[in-house]
Amino acid sequence: MIRVLLGIFCVLFVLPFSAQAADGLLKQSVTVNGVERDYLIHLPAGFKPKAGPYPVVMAYHGGGGTAEGMADMTRLNDTADKYGFIAVYPEGTAPEGKNRFRTWNAGTCCGTAMEKKVDDVAYSSAIMDELRDQFRADPKRIYLTGHSNGAMMVYRLACALSERVAAVAPNAGQNVFHACPDARPMPVMHIHGTADKCALYGGGTCGGCFSDFLGGGDEGGESWECLGVRESMWRRARDYGCTRKTEITDKRRNMTCERWAGCTVYEGEVTLCSVAGGGHNWPGGATGLKLCESRPNGVLCRKWMRATGPYNDDIPLNDMMWTFFKRWERP
């Protein structure tokens, strides 16, 4: 009872501008170009408004996903409590009249967000402003991660908001936005499964992997041409004056992280973490489909796993990601 009353006190008095959402999450909204858009936020255990500034990790869901789904899949709330950062889950744009198949306008992908030219850069910047003004977020320690289409969006933001973002760690989604010659060099840790069926590790025609799971319709069947992951990361490393030589920085289970060497730009650190045999999922997180938690051997769960590829639950990606993030502050 005491715990419940304390929770109510926090919502009503400490954070009067927030609304309760799912477990451990608060629902916020910002208005961008006359449109009100939501996002979810998790405040770390022991959060005190006057104790900041607090570092922030913004996590962008994959195409077709939701902010709440991203929190469930990544289990990032637990990591935020462990290390004391604010976890934020932005919400993409759904087709008109629907509340699903949400996507991000990553420049050359994907779905409704790209078709309608939704300004997800302005939306993300507005969230950062609100986090600073209302939640004592540290503007020097804003970090971005994302999955799939969310990873692509992170690459665009690393370009467009380079003066606001300290470092990024995209997962399972190649960079599709390259036009940013004036951007500040950005530390990057990219995570990718070599058996990813959606964002192909070797490149080629990416996407379309959920078409069968969704019944073979147009939704979930969008595809695009993508670079191989290693080639995409090498191009970034080359821009930072790195050599082709890499050095292994971490190795555990079936994940190997390697960093390009000899870079002439201090913040131009480029690390690639390859998950041997890994699929289109979040290493160490949930499968991405809640039904798999209650019925892991059910027909739908097996169909989902066929669409996404092998799942790795024994890699502490969140811990590794935070170890990378905390080394960097925006100058």
Side-chain angles (χ1 to χ4, degrees):
M1 176 62 74
I2 293 176
R3 189 174 180 178
V4 172
L5 290 174
L6 286 174
I8 294 173
F9 175 83
C10 288
V11 172
L12 293 181
F13 296 95
V14 179
L15 302 170
F17 36 77
S18 302
Q20 286 182 299
D23 289 345
L25 294 169
L26 299 171
K27 186 176 181 179
Q28 293 288 112
S29 65
V30 292
T31 300
V32 181
N33 299 327
V35 178
E36 187 176 75
R37 296 184 61 180
D38 295 335
Y39 67 95
L40 299 179
I41 181 172
H42 173 79
L43 302 175
F47 175 85
K48 297 178 181 178
K50 294 183 179 180
Y54 288 87
V56 172
V57 176
M58 296 176 65
Y60 291 75
H61 62 74
T66 63
E68 186 175 343
M70 186 64 172
D72 289 339
M73 182 179 72
T74 61
R75 297 168 178 161
L76 199 59
N77 289 357
D78 294 337
T79 313
D81 290 339
K82 182 177 180 180
Y83 296 113
F85 62 81
I86 299 172
V88 181
Y89 306 95
E91 189 97 273
T93 300
E96 189 172 350
K98 295 186 178 181
N99 193 31
R100 57 178 185 167
F101 300 113
R102 295 181 177 275
T103 55
W104 301 105
N105 179 8
T108 58
C109 181
C110 295
T112 300
M114 184 187 69
E115 292 167 7
K116 291 187 174 183
K117 296 181 173 57
V118 176
D119 195 343
D120 284 322
V121 173
Y123 166 62
S124 299
S125 185
I127 291 176
M128 293 175 190
D129 289 341
E130 189 167 271
L131 292 171
R132 177 198 62 207
D133 297 340
Q134 297 189 15
F135 294 95
R136 291 277 290 161
D138 188 344
K140 293 184 178 182
R141 294 185 292 166
I142 295 178
Y143 311 105
L144 307 183
T145 186
H147 175 70
S148 193
N149 178 213
M152 300 174 193
M153 188 65 219
V154 165
Y155 275 120
R156 181 170 192 179
L157 294 171
C159 194
L161 298 179
S162 65
E163 295 304 319
R164 306 198 68 174
V165 177
V168 300
N171 174 67
Q174 287 96 321
N175 182 12
V176 294
F177 196 84
H178 299 278
C180 51
D182 299 324
R184 180 181 66 83
M186 182 66 60
V188 177
M189 183 178 83
H190 183 101
I191 306 96
H192 217 111
T194 63
D196 192 319
K197 294 184 176 182
C198 302
L200 305 180
Y201 189 88
T205 303
C206 286
C209 53
F210 294 109
S211 180
D212 179 59
F213 177 79
L214 296 171
D218 293 336
E219 292 169 323
E222 183 179 5
S223 61
W224 61 93
E225 294 304 308
C226 59
L227 279 175
V229 174
R230 183 170 293 278
E231 174 63 20
S232 178
M233 299 309 295
W234 157 242
R235 290 188 182 189
R236 178 176 289 269
R238 181 186 60 194
D239 290 343
Y240 295 154
C242 309
T243 68
R244 277 195 174 273
K245 182 181 179 181
T246 61
E247 52 191 11
I248 294 178
T249 58
D250 201 343
K251 188 174 180 63
R252 59 186 79 200
R253 304 288 183 174
N254 57 337
M255 174 185 276
T256 301
C257 297
E258 53 189 315
R259 179 173 58 210
W260 271 265
C263 307
T264 58
V265 178
Y266 168 65
E267 290 184 293
E269 182 175 306
V270 181
T271 297
L272 170 61
C273 295
S274 302
V275 184
H280 194 69
N281 49 54
W282 190 272
T287 61
L289 185 68
K290 278 192 173 182
L291 187 63
C292 285
E293 297 176 16
S294 58
R295 301 184 62 185
N297 297 316
V299 174
L300 280 178
C301 185
R302 293 202 305 270
K303 196 173 182 180
W304 174 265
M305 298 301 280
R306 285 197 300 271
T308 58
Y311 165 59
N312 304 90
D313 61 356
D314 56 355
I315 297 173
L317 174 58
N318 291 359
D319 289 332
M320 295 172 65
M321 188 170 62
W322 179 249
T323 298
F324 170 74
F325 280 155
K326 70 180 183 179
R327 292 174 46 225
W328 303 100
E329 286 190 13
R330 183 179 62 79

